[in-house]
Amino acid sequence: MMKKNKRGFASDNNAGVHPEILEAIVQANQGHVVAYGDDPYTESATRKFEEMFGEDISIYFVYNGTGANVLSLQTLTDSFQAVICAETAHINEDECGAPEKFTGCKLLTIPTENGKVTIDQIKPHLHSVGNEHQAQPRVISITQATELGTVYRPEEIEAISRFAHENGLLVHLDGARIANAAVSLDMQLRETTRDLGIDVLSFGGTKNGVMFGEAVVFFNPDLAQNFRFIRKQGAQLASKMRFIAAQFEALLTDDLWRRNAQHANAMAALFSRNIRDIPRIEIAQPVEANAIFARIPREHIPELQREYFFYVWDETQSIVRWMTSFDTTEDDIMDFVSLLRRLLC
Amino acid sequence: MMKKNKRGFASDNNAGVHPEILEAIVQANQGHVVAYGDDPYTESATRKFEEMFGEDISIYFVYNGTGANVLSLQTLTDSFQAVICAETAHINEDECGAPEKFTGCKLLTIPTENGKVTIDQIKPHLHSVGNEHQAQPRVISITQATELGTVYRPEEIEAISRFAHENGLLVHLDGARIANAAVSLDMQLRETTRDLGIDVLSFGGTKNGVMFGEAVVFFNPDLAQNFRFIRKQGAQLASKMRFIAAQFEALLTDDLWRRNAQHANAMAALFSRNIRDIPRIEIAQPVEANAIFARIPREHIPELQREYFFYVWDETQSIVRWMTSFDTTEDDIMDFVSLLRRLLC
Amino acid sequence: MMKKNKRGFASDNNAGVHPEILEAIVQANQGHVVAYGDDPYTESATRKFEEMFGEDISIYFVYNGTGANVLSLQTLTDSFQAVICAETAHINEDECGAPEKFTGCKLLTIPTENGKVTIDQIKPHLHSVGNEHQAQPRVISITQATELGTVYRPEEIEAISRFAHENGLLVHLDGARIANAAVSLDMQLRETTRDLGIDVLSFGGTKNGVMFGEAVVFFNPDLAQNFRFIRKQGAQLASKMRFIAAQFEALLTDDLWRRNAQHANAMAALFSRNIRDIPRIEIAQPVEANAIFARIPREHIPELQREYFFYVWDETQSIVRWMTSFDTTEDDIMDFVSLLRRLLC
Amino acid sequence: MMKKNKRGFASDNNAGVHPEILEAIVQANQGHVVAYGDDPYTESATRKFEEMFGEDISIYFVYNGTGANVLSLQTLTDSFQAVICAETAHINEDECGAPEKFTGCKLLTIPTENGKVTIDQIKPHLHSVGNEHQAQPRVISITQATELGTVYRPEEIEAISRFAHENGLLVHLDGARIANAAVSLDMQLRETTRDLGIDVLSFGGTKNGVMFGEAVVFFNPDLAQNFRFIRKQGAQLASKMRFIAAQFEALLTDDLWRRNAQHANAMAALFSRNIRDIPRIEIAQPVEANAIFARIPREHIPELQREYFFYVWDETQSIVRWMTSFDTTEDDIMDFVSLLRRLLC
């Protein structure tokens, strides 16, 4: 019924589902299994996570990234506590206040240049510790890759985790694009999360070829003991859980997570290489994952958007965001680059 | 990898996805579309809902039934208000306190014989109106078909709606199995909801062949004006919305919703017809939709469950629940009936 | 400016402030002290509580009974948990849904004849333990003296506490009228609370001659470690705390709490003794504290209320509630009894 | 029992109760009146507010400033909305996250030099309007006098109100020190609030000689229609309401509110006049109400605090806060100034 949908650079969640994942869904559609996750698909996908991240973890599927983030935070906090994060964090900017609603907590935000927070920026927020008049810092939430397409260095995360634990705080990692970060750093998923001291990970699937579903991974299972109640009360417990589990099984099979992210990152690199010399385009952030932020002449934006849809990130500065995904093609890039050259040169 | 899963009678959500719905998902997997519902699939599915229910409605997709219920209630209430419902209501018994968490409201529950509430039972809860020391009734939430497999008569719902509106209350219908009810009553979906005065409907898909996703249908769009914010803050906004929309498009095409429900109801009827004469089985509720509640000898339950899994509903009374679904076969029924006869006769 | 206000039988909180307590307030009004409880008055009142209840307790002042109850419950619960209580409990009937709002929890209510719950009634609510679809019982909240003027026997409370602790539950006691109960049982405050296994006590002052303020007493200080944050976030931290502390200092000095409760109870006993033989009056609950519940002829209620205001408790059964307080006089009683005799004999 | 408490400059809420207010409390302690505000004292105090602010207002007493602020905001918002305020606002800095807990809303904070926000700072927060991914601005909350002892000019507030209303926002004024501001501007209370377009006022009493209690004043009663339920559910409904009402009656009688604030402001002015020429003291904010913020040599702070207690406001900059109150004396000031001179000259 629908005509073929064109690809664009609006977001990696504008892409569809990777064929291997869709095939896994189709294969899972046989007969009856017990609902709510007490089924062999969930069991099997859980094993895959354990192979990837090591044993002694607790892993739970939820519907989406906001669900993964807010239920993680709810699990780690009491309402009188606070979550420290970058001003640009998805939990602060893009979830319509869901963290406040679910947790009752205050977000203590840090302005950043590139989406990455530092210990020096976090420290002043700890002055309130023990003062009953102020929300008590409990969690540092960082995003990897960041919302600005940058990637924390392992030692940066390690330092944050160490600081957090020394100060009685926990570390949550919003990993909506953790695969892109791992590829960027040429590391395993475990090396970029658990091994760096992360306590809880929102493991992203949707932006990496999954239809729906994210995973919450607790590297300390003690933290997770109430999560299944919190998930159910949070309306994030899928009844036909096998269809989320089967997708993650596929994502973690034959390194599909890596292949998809590698491709998306490579396309972003190709993109940025080919526009560096175009006049009047200024790349605004290091291109370290699958996003390009660029300042371009305001007047050409509408024409560009007509061909390949994308979003303006900062109206006042005329900065746009171009995202690549697992299904972006070299032709998409080169075609768009040609258009850019035509308009700007 | 998985061996063929056997069907059972545990729940209609233990079934998989209807082939026409799975096919719709596969077909929707082309290229990029804008995320979060601003896409042609969502547009088209919305049209289908308008054909079904009439214009001047607002319809929103969410992930699951709990999400549909609690966000509906949140939309209709302030925290100091109360929701009147049957003690057996899913919102009271099966959502781990999600309504209280999302809304802050108190549930005022009514004990029932058969899952259906009456005006006479509702009335005493209105004594608190205007008394600031008590939660203020705002919504009556009913379930159709009920959690006990019974079906309200149209005039029963109409009376509740009229009473509600005369008293400044709104009516929410938990329609996780509204299709089964409509089939049972031989009525159209609109006739069993909007035309009876329902204000907001949780329109169920998952228990009728859908993979994931439910729809919230506001018959008065004024009530819905904030719903999209409430949905996002409630972590129920799907980014790849097209895959929910495509499923509902299929469900409302060629009366698939009706065919599925008709089949499930017919299987339940076949089931109950064939066990009425078995000694020591007592059918505990009228079989009006796709559930059979029966009192059976406690000692045979484990053996029966080994063959076809199902749940014990009431331990103390030894009442079990058998549910049929769109994919239950006559052979499933007759085979299980044979087993029952073998054990009980 | 105001003319003399007449006493009535509406509620013990319609009374004013006991002179010794008012005097303590006046005496505390000197110079500056640090706000929010870091002052010598609060220190001293805390000592008084420790003398009364023993060491190793944590005690916090809040503004009112609802505050004491809901913050106690919030401290003891997570949002996915549930509180078991009598249907008549103040937290269920008279706080406009505050417990649900503050905690997110479900209240699991028990219908009672006399305001007292039993283990047999509590037990069925534990079937849901471990089932993620249902709110998880965490606290049993009982009221002593009950809202119906009855008093739990020590062994009844002890049994509830033991059952609770054996099942991983905690016990909260709403002691808005704990003084009346202790007097009724001829026991010390500690003997009727801590020694019976209570974990947290809402210690009432307002209904026993205090102007404003209640105390939350944790008999296990580990439970209290976050209470001061919860109190501040709950808007129950008084800045000029000394004026609450000074009142409780007075209440616990020279057994004023006991003298006040003894008087109120004695007046209720006098009241009930003098109406037992009046025709058409039926005393509806045992008179064990400072309340009389009686069924009286409906037609005489307005005339009686004009002379001494009181509330109708149950319209349909024509049951009224008469409460006595620290300032009720024998003349008040005998005058009202005369009126009753005049009208009913 | 207590020895005489010395006055200090820590906070205006370290002071006690003004004698006229204490006398009003004592006078109100006669006989019984109906609880929860249905009494002649509350009626009479309400009249006083109407005389002050004009008719067509709704006025409610609560326990404290945090209660007044958070219940005001809860009344004006839905959980998906946001409150714009200064970073230094009491609701942001000093209420332990109570606004987030009570409302579920996000606070959108504005860094300021002097505690005052401007329209230009507010405007960028309106970019999110209509975007379901971001909390929707609904209220601008300003503080008058500010937490930094500065006072908005009437035209500044008027401009904010006009801007708010043109953009569908409401204006809340945290008036914990509104009396000090009105005195500073030499205006009536009505002129500094209602006449400038404020929608809801937290009217402070505690920092101006009251023992406990604040008032929430709705200048548009339509906004207040649910407030009494919100107040009860928020645990801020006093049972012996007469004792709050009587205090406000006194505060609004014979201009006591003005006399107290005038005195406190005059003491601050005297204070600042006498330290301007002391070397190594730098006054850090305009002294427009009853607070002096000053940068002083770090090493002398402990000795100063021993004589007259006060708080360090900003450790890193060695800025301290000295507050005056209705009971500060000229001798207190001159004595402390002498000490300063002795140490610093």
Side-chain angles (χ1 to χ4, degrees):
Chain A
M1 171 208 63
M2 302 285 166
K3 68 170 189 307
K4 194 139 175 42
N5 306 305
K6 196 172 178 181
R7 280 183 300 277
F9 303 110
S11 179
D12 31 14
N13 66 21
N14 285 17
V17 184
H18 189 277
E20 295 177 31
I21 287 171
L22 191 54
E23 178 58 21
I25 286 175
V26 171
Q27 289 305 321
N29 193 32
Q30 303 178 37
H32 286 203
V33 299
V34 172
Y36 302 114
D38 190 8
D39 67 79
Y41 301 92
T42 304
E43 171 79 14
S44 176
T46 300
R47 290 297 148 267
K48 285 278 184 188
F49 270 93
E50 289 171 353
E51 287 166 25
M52 181 66 79
F53 288 108
E55 308 225 334
D56 298 325
I57 64 170
S58 286
I59 181 268
Y60 299 89
F61 297 113
V62 297
Y63 281 116
N64 63 357
T66 298
N69 286 339
V70 298
L71 297 189
S72 295
L73 296 177
Q74 189 186 333
T75 304
L76 303 180
T77 56
D78 280 315
S79 66
F80 58 83
Q81 297 177 323
V83 176
I84 299 171
C85 64
E87 227 173 59
T88 49
H90 200 267
I91 57 170
N92 187 50
E93 280 289 331
D94 297 298
E95 300 184 353
C96 197
E100 286 89 344
K101 164 78 174 158
F102 276 77
T103 68
C105 291
K106 182 181 282 297
L107 301 193
L108 300 170
T109 60
I110 294 172
T112 74
E113 287 301 308
N114 56 7
K116 295 158 65 173
V117 299
T118 67
I119 295 177
D120 283 347
Q121 293 170 307
I122 294 168
K123 274 181 188 162
H125 284 300
L126 268 57
H127 287 158
S128 61
V129 170
N131 174 353
E132 70 196 319
H133 299 272
Q134 298 198 267
Q136 297 295 295
R138 175 63 176 152
V139 177
I140 301 171
S141 178
I142 59 177
T143 313
Q144 173 82 317
T146 74
E147 288 77 6
L148 296 178
T150 57
V151 174
Y152 282 94
R153 300 292 315 158
E155 56 273 20
E156 292 171 327
I157 293 183
E158 205 163 26
I160 290 171
S161 298
R162 196 178 320 111
F163 175 82
H165 297 148
E166 286 169 2
N167 288 279
L169 307 182
L170 299 166
V171 186
H172 167 254
L173 193 150
D174 179 350
R177 296 186 184 96
I178 186 62
N180 303 87
V183 162
S184 176
L185 296 168
D186 194 18
M187 292 169 79
Q188 286 297 328
L189 288 171
R190 176 179 172 142
E191 293 171 321
T192 55
T193 54
R194 184 178 196 174
D195 292 352
L196 301 178
I198 300 301
D199 295 294
V200 185
L201 167 66
S202 295
F203 183 83
T206 312
K207 292 183 161 98
N208 202 24
V210 159
M211 185 187 291
F212 71 108
E214 312 274 303
V216 178
V217 189
F218 291 88
F219 296 123
N220 175 352
D222 286 351
L223 295 171
Q225 59 185 347
N226 294 323
F227 191 80
R228 60 199 189 92
F229 300 106
I230 288 172
R231 176 175 62 174
K232 175 60 198 177
Q233 192 184 35
Q236 290 281 324
L237 175 63
S239 57
K240 297 185 178 174
M241 185 70 87
R242 58 170 139 169
F243 296 106
I244 300 182
Q247 293 182 74
F248 277 93
E249 170 96 31
L251 191 68
L252 298 191
T253 295
D254 298 338
D255 270 357
L256 178 58
W257 67 270
R258 182 188 294 282
R259 286 181 278 139
N260 281 352
Q262 217 147 29
H263 179 81
N265 285 11
M267 289 301 100
L270 177 71
F271 197 149
S272 77
R273 270 201 310 279
N274 278 278
I275 61 173
R276 284 192 190 278
D277 64 334
I278 300 179
R280 295 194 290 155
I281 294 189
E282 181 194 338
I283 294 183
Q285 292 286 346
V287 178
E288 298 175 347
N290 65 326
I292 297 117
F293 287 81
R295 184 175 289 107
I296 65 172
R298 203 180 301 273
E299 65 273 21
H300 296 300
I301 292 176
E303 185 167 354
L304 289 162
Q305 283 175 323
R306 261 195 305 280
E307 289 302 307
Y308 286 85
F309 188 61
F310 59 87
Y311 290 103
V312 177
W313 185 257
D314 182 330
E315 292 268 5
T316 59
Q317 297 198 64
S318 194
I319 291 179
V320 302
R321 184 186 76 164
W322 296 312
M323 301 226 54
T324 56
S325 49
F326 76 87
D327 64 347
T328 305
T329 67
E330 290 199 22
D331 282 356
D332 292 337
I333 304 289
M334 299 317 294
D335 188 45
F336 189 66
V337 167
S338 301
L339 179 61
L340 279 168
R341 286 192 188 281
R342 217 161 42 239
L343 290 172
L344 297 175
C345 293
Chain B
M1 174 208 62
M2 302 287 166
K3 67 172 190 303
K4 194 135 173 44
N5 305 307
K6 195 171 177 181
R7 281 184 299 278
F9 302 111
S11 178
D12 31 13
N13 67 22
N14 285 17
V17 184
H18 189 277
E20 294 177 32
I21 287 171
L22 191 55
E23 178 59 23
I25 286 175
V26 172
Q27 289 306 320
N29 192 32
Q30 306 178 36
H32 285 204
V33 300
V34 173
Y36 302 114
D38 191 7
D39 68 78
Y41 301 92
T42 304
E43 171 81 12
S44 177
T46 300
R47 290 297 148 268
K48 284 279 185 188
F49 270 93
E50 290 172 353
E51 286 167 24
M52 182 64 79
F53 288 108
E55 308 225 333
D56 297 327
I57 63 172
S58 287
I59 182 269
Y60 299 89
F61 297 114
V62 297
Y63 282 117
N64 62 358
T66 299
N69 286 339
V70 298
L71 298 188
S72 296
L73 296 178
Q74 189 186 333
T75 305
L76 303 182
T77 56
D78 280 315
S79 67
F80 59 83
Q81 295 176 324
V83 176
I84 299 170
C85 64
E87 229 174 57
T88 50
H90 200 268
I91 57 171
N92 186 50
E93 281 288 333
D94 298 297
E95 301 184 352
C96 196
E100 286 89 345
K101 165 78 173 158
F102 276 77
T103 68
C105 292
K106 182 181 281 298
L107 301 194
L108 300 170
T109 60
I110 293 172
T112 74
E113 288 301 308
N114 56 9
K116 295 157 67 173
V117 299
T118 66
I119 295 177
D120 282 347
Q121 293 170 307
I122 295 168
K123 274 181 188 164
H125 284 299
L126 268 58
H127 287 157
S128 62
V129 170
N131 175 354
E132 70 196 320
H133 298 272
Q134 299 197 266
Q136 297 294 295
R138 177 60 177 155
V139 177
I140 301 170
S141 178
I142 59 177
T143 313
Q144 172 81 317
T146 74
E147 287 78 7
L148 296 178
T150 57
V151 174
Y152 282 93
R153 301 292 317 158
E155 57 273 21
E156 291 171 328
I157 294 183
E158 205 164 27
I160 290 171
S161 298
R162 196 178 320 110
F163 176 81
H165 297 148
E166 286 168 4
N167 287 279
L169 308 182
L170 298 166
V171 186
H172 166 255
L173 194 149
D174 178 349
R177 297 188 183 97
I178 186 63
N180 303 87
V183 162
S184 175
L185 296 168
D186 195 18
M187 292 169 78
Q188 286 295 328
L189 287 171
R190 176 179 173 144
E191 292 171 322
T192 56
T193 55
R194 185 179 197 175
D195 292 353
L196 302 178
I198 300 303
D199 294 294
V200 185
L201 168 66
S202 295
F203 182 84
T206 312
K207 292 185 161 94
N208 201 23
V210 159
M211 183 186 292
F212 70 108
E214 311 273 303
V216 178
V217 189
F218 291 88
F219 296 122
N220 175 351
D222 287 351
L223 294 171
Q225 60 185 347
N226 294 322
F227 191 80
R228 62 202 188 89
F229 301 106
I230 288 171
R231 177 175 62 174
K232 175 62 197 174
Q233 192 184 35
Q236 290 282 324
L237 176 63
S239 58
K240 298 185 179 174
M241 185 69 87
R242 57 170 138 168
F243 296 107
I244 300 182
Q247 293 182 73
F248 278 93
E249 171 96 30
L251 192 68
L252 298 190
T253 295
D254 298 338
D255 270 357
L256 178 59
W257 67 270
R258 181 188 294 282
R259 285 181 280 139
N260 282 352
Q262 216 147 30
H263 179 80
N265 286 10
M267 289 301 99
L270 178 70
F271 198 148
S272 76
R273 268 200 312 277
N274 277 280
I275 59 172
R276 283 191 191 277
D277 64 334
I278 300 180
R280 296 193 289 155
I281 295 189
E282 182 193 337
I283 295 183
Q285 292 287 347
V287 178
E288 297 175 347
N290 65 326
I292 296 116
F293 288 81
R295 183 175 291 109
I296 65 172
R298 203 180 303 271
E299 65 273 21
H300 296 301
I301 292 176
E303 185 166 354
L304 289 162
Q305 283 176 322
R306 262 196 304 280
E307 289 301 308
Y308 286 86
F309 188 60
F310 59 88
Y311 290 104
V312 177
W313 185 258
D314 181 332
E315 292 269 4
T316 58
Q317 297 199 62
S318 193
I319 292 177
V320 302
R321 185 187 74 165
W322 296 312
M323 300 224 56
T324 57
S325 50
F326 75 88
D327 64 348
T328 304
T329 66
E330 290 199 19
D331 283 355
D332 293 337
I333 305 289
M334 298 318 294
D335 188 45
F336 189 67
V337 168
S338 300
L339 179 60
L340 280 168
R341 286 192 187 280
R342 221 166 32 244
L343 291 173
L344 298 176
C345 293
Chain C
M1 169 209 64
M2 303 287 165
K3 69 170 185 311
K4 194 139 175 37
N5 306 304
K6 194 171 179 183
R7 281 184 301 275
F9 302 110
S11 178
D12 31 13
N13 67 21
N14 285 17
V17 184
H18 189 276
E20 294 177 31
I21 288 171
L22 190 55
E23 178 58 22
I25 287 176
V26 171
Q27 290 305 322
N29 193 32
Q30 305 179 37
H32 284 205
V33 300
V34 173
Y36 303 114
D38 191 8
D39 68 79
Y41 302 91
T42 304
E43 171 80 11
S44 176
T46 300
R47 290 299 146 267
K48 284 279 184 186
F49 270 93
E50 289 171 353
E51 286 167 26
M52 182 66 78
F53 288 108
E55 307 226 334
D56 298 325
I57 64 170
S58 287
I59 181 268
Y60 299 90
F61 297 113
V62 297
Y63 282 117
N64 63 357
T66 298
N69 287 337
V70 299
L71 298 189
S72 295
L73 295 177
Q74 189 186 332
T75 304
L76 302 181
T77 57
D78 280 314
S79 67
F80 58 83
Q81 296 177 323
V83 176
I84 299 171
C85 64
E87 228 172 61
T88 48
H90 201 268
I91 57 171
N92 187 50
E93 281 288 331
D94 297 297
E95 300 182 354
C96 197
E100 287 89 343
K101 164 77 174 159
F102 276 77
T103 68
C105 292
K106 182 181 283 297
L107 301 193
L108 300 171
T109 60
I110 293 173
T112 75
E113 289 299 308
N114 57 7
K116 294 158 66 173
V117 299
T118 66
I119 295 177
D120 283 347
Q121 293 170 308
I122 293 168
K123 273 181 188 163
H125 284 300
L126 267 59
H127 288 159
S128 61
V129 169
N131 174 353
E132 71 196 318
H133 299 272
Q134 299 197 268
Q136 299 294 296
R138 177 63 175 151
V139 177
I140 301 171
S141 179
I142 59 176
T143 313
Q144 173 81 320
T146 75
E147 286 79 5
L148 297 178
T150 57
V151 174
Y152 282 94
R153 300 293 315 161
E155 57 272 20
E156 291 172 327
I157 293 183
E158 206 164 26
I160 290 172
S161 298
R162 196 177 321 109
F163 176 81
H165 297 148
E166 286 169 1
N167 287 278
L169 308 183
L170 298 166
V171 186
H172 167 255
L173 194 150
D174 178 350
R177 296 187 184 98
I178 186 63
N180 303 87
V183 162
S184 176
L185 296 169
D186 195 18
M187 293 169 77
Q188 286 296 327
L189 287 172
R190 177 180 173 142
E191 292 172 320
T192 57
T193 56
R194 185 178 196 175
D195 292 352
L196 301 178
I198 299 304
D199 295 295
V200 186
L201 167 67
S202 295
F203 183 83
T206 313
K207 293 184 161 95
N208 201 23
V210 159
M211 185 188 291
F212 70 110
E214 312 273 304
V216 177
V217 189
F218 290 88
F219 296 121
N220 174 350
D222 287 351
L223 294 171
Q225 61 185 344
N226 294 322
F227 191 79
R228 62 200 186 91
F229 301 106
I230 287 172
R231 177 175 63 175
K232 176 60 196 176
Q233 192 184 35
Q236 289 282 323
L237 176 62
S239 57
K240 297 184 179 173
M241 184 71 87
R242 58 171 138 169
F243 296 107
I244 299 182
Q247 293 181 74
F248 279 92
E249 171 96 29
L251 191 67
L252 299 189
T253 295
D254 298 337
D255 270 356
L256 177 59
W257 67 270
R258 181 189 294 280
R259 287 180 279 139
N260 282 351
Q262 217 147 28
H263 179 80
N265 285 11
M267 289 301 101
L270 177 71
F271 198 147
S272 76
R273 269 200 312 277
N274 278 280
I275 59 174
R276 283 191 192 277
D277 64 333
I278 300 180
R280 296 194 289 155
I281 294 189
E282 181 193 340
I283 294 183
Q285 293 286 348
V287 178
E288 298 175 345
N290 65 325
I292 296 118
F293 288 81
R295 184 175 288 110
I296 64 172
R298 203 180 302 272
E299 65 272 21
H300 296 301
I301 293 175
E303 185 167 355
L304 289 162
Q305 284 176 321
R306 260 195 306 280
E307 290 301 307
Y308 286 86
F309 188 60
F310 59 87
Y311 290 104
V312 177
W313 185 259
D314 182 331
E315 291 268 3
T316 58
Q317 296 199 63
S318 193
I319 291 177
V320 302
R321 184 186 75 165
W322 295 313
M323 302 224 57
T324 56
S325 49
F326 76 88
D327 64 347
T328 304
T329 66
E330 291 199 21
D331 283 356
D332 293 336
I333 304 288
M334 298 319 293
D335 188 43
F336 189 66
V337 168
S338 300
L339 179 60
L340 279 168
R341 287 191 187 279
R342 223 169 29 247
L343 290 172
L344 298 175
C345 293
Chain D
M1 170 208 62
M2 304 285 166
K3 68 171 190 303
K4 193 135 175 41
N5 306 305
K6 196 173 176 181
R7 280 183 301 276
F9 302 111
S11 179
D12 32 13
N13 66 22
N14 286 17
V17 184
H18 190 276
E20 295 177 30
I21 287 171
L22 191 54
E23 177 59 21
I25 286 175
V26 171
Q27 289 306 321
N29 193 32
Q30 305 179 36
H32 285 205
V33 301
V34 173
Y36 303 114
D38 190 9
D39 68 77
Y41 301 92
T42 304
E43 171 80 12
S44 176
T46 300
R47 289 298 146 268
K48 284 280 184 187
F49 271 92
E50 289 171 353
E51 285 168 26
M52 182 65 78
F53 289 108
E55 308 224 334
D56 298 325
I57 64 172
S58 287
I59 181 268
Y60 300 89
F61 297 113
V62 297
Y63 281 116
N64 63 356
T66 298
N69 286 338
V70 299
L71 298 189
S72 295
L73 296 177
Q74 188 186 333
T75 304
L76 302 181
T77 56
D78 281 314
S79 66
F80 59 84
Q81 296 178 322
V83 176
I84 299 170
C85 63
E87 227 171 61
T88 49
H90 200 268
I91 57 170
N92 186 50
E93 281 288 331
D94 298 298
E95 300 182 354
C96 196
E100 287 89 344
K101 164 77 174 159
F102 277 77
T103 69
C105 292
K106 183 182 281 299
L107 301 194
L108 299 170
T109 60
I110 294 172
T112 75
E113 288 301 307
N114 57 7
K116 293 158 67 172
V117 299
T118 67
I119 294 177
D120 282 347
Q121 293 170 307
I122 295 168
K123 274 181 188 163
H125 283 300
L126 269 57
H127 287 160
S128 62
V129 170
N131 175 354
E132 70 195 319
H133 299 272
Q134 299 197 269
Q136 299 294 296
R138 176 63 176 152
V139 177
I140 301 171
S141 178
I142 59 177
T143 312
Q144 173 81 320
T146 75
E147 287 79 5
L148 297 178
T150 57
V151 174
Y152 282 94
R153 301 292 315 159
E155 55 273 19
E156 291 172 326
I157 293 184
E158 204 163 29
I160 289 171
S161 298
R162 197 179 317 111
F163 174 81
H165 296 148
E166 286 169 2
N167 288 278
L169 307 183
L170 298 166
V171 186
H172 167 253
L173 194 150
D174 178 350
R177 296 188 183 97
I178 187 63
N180 303 87
V183 162
S184 176
L185 296 169
D186 195 17
M187 293 169 78
Q188 287 295 328
L189 288 171
R190 176 180 172 142
E191 292 171 322
T192 57
T193 56
R194 184 179 197 174
D195 292 352
L196 301 177
I198 300 303
D199 295 294
V200 186
L201 167 66
S202 295
F203 182 84
T206 313
K207 293 184 161 95
N208 202 23
V210 159
M211 183 188 294
F212 71 109
E214 311 274 303
V216 178
V217 189
F218 291 89
F219 296 122
N220 175 351
D222 287 350
L223 295 171
Q225 60 186 346
N226 294 323
F227 190 80
R228 62 200 187 90
F229 300 106
I230 288 171
R231 177 175 62 174
K232 174 63 198 174
Q233 192 184 36
Q236 290 282 324
L237 176 62
S239 57
K240 297 186 179 172
M241 183 71 87
R242 57 171 139 169
F243 296 106
I244 300 182
Q247 292 181 74
F248 278 92
E249 171 95 30
L251 192 68
L252 298 190
T253 295
D254 298 338
D255 270 356
L256 178 59
W257 67 270
R258 181 188 296 281
R259 286 180 280 138
N260 282 351
Q262 217 147 28
H263 179 80
N265 286 11
M267 289 301 100
L270 177 71
F271 198 146
S272 75
R273 268 201 313 276
N274 279 279
I275 60 173
R276 283 192 191 276
D277 65 333
I278 300 180
R280 297 193 289 154
I281 294 189
E282 181 193 339
I283 294 183
Q285 293 286 347
V287 178
E288 297 175 346
N290 64 325
I292 296 118
F293 288 81
R295 183 175 289 110
I296 66 172
R298 204 179 301 273
E299 65 272 21
H300 296 301
I301 292 177
E303 185 167 355
L304 289 162
Q305 284 175 322
R306 260 195 306 280
E307 290 300 308
Y308 286 85
F309 188 60
F310 58 87
Y311 291 104
V312 177
W313 185 258
D314 182 331
E315 293 267 5
T316 59
Q317 297 198 64
S318 192
I319 291 178
V320 302
R321 184 187 76 165
W322 295 314
M323 302 225 54
T324 56
S325 49
F326 76 89
D327 63 348
T328 305
T329 66
E330 290 199 21
D331 283 355
D332 293 335
I333 304 289
M334 298 319 292
D335 188 45
F336 189 67
V337 168
S338 301
L339 179 61
L340 280 168
R341 286 191 187 280
R342 220 164 37 242
L343 291 172
L344 298 176
C345 292

